[in-house]
Amino acid sequence: MTGGWGVVAGILGSLLGAVALLGSGLFAARATRAAAATTAEAQRAAAEAAAEPAQRQQDLAAFKEIREALERRVDRSERRIEGLTSLVRAYAGYVAELTGLMRQRGIEPPPPPPRVDEYDRTGV
């Protein structure tokens, strides 16, 4: 029987070794998948971090372009407002002269429109 137990022990040892090898293989495979996922995530984060300055530069360039366009638009609006203000002042002076001439000749001019009357009273 001693010889039989040796064979059985050898077979059992081989089976236990095979099961242990299979278990360690499964453990290694799981660990490898986890490591690959972690590495991929780290590479993605590194790529995002590397791209951040470039994205900020693009954003800054876009903001500068928008700001310059708005500044040009504001400048055009200011020039237009100044031109219209000058025109209204010139027209008001002309109307004042005509009104004065009408009164000199004994003609009473029509009353000004309500908006003009309001401006004359309030300044707004």
Side-chain angles (χ1 to χ4, degrees):
M1 268 197 81
T2 308
W5 284 108
V7 171
V8 171
I11 292 173
L12 283 176
S14 294
L15 285 175
L16 285 174
V19 169
L21 183 61
L22 180 63
S24 67
L26 291 174
F27 178 77
R30 186 183 304 164
T32 301
R33 278 195 306 269
T38 302
T39 301
E41 179 64 24
Q43 288 174 343
R44 186 193 62 75
E48 283 181 5
E52 183 73 19
Q55 182 63 46
R56 288 185 182 263
Q57 287 298 326
Q58 289 175 352
D59 291 346
L60 181 60
F63 288 137
K64 283 182 179 179
E65 185 177 322
I66 291 168
R67 186 187 70 209
E68 289 169 0
L70 288 174
E71 285 174 349
R72 287 190 303 272
R73 191 172 184 183
V74 166
D75 287 343
R76 281 193 312 265
S77 294
E78 287 176 349
R79 284 193 306 273
R80 185 169 184 238
I81 289 169
E82 288 171 4
L84 290 172
T85 301
S86 172
L87 176 64
V88 168
R89 285 185 179 147
Y91 188 71
Y94 177 69
V95 169
E97 284 181 41
L98 289 177
T99 302
L101 286 173
M102 289 176 75
R103 286 194 174 124
Q104 281 179 358
R105 304 252 157 92
I107 303 170
E108 186 58 34
R115 177 67 180 104
V116 173
D117 189 45
E118 178 185 347
Y119 179 81
D120 287 340
R121 283 185 293 107
T122 66
V124 180

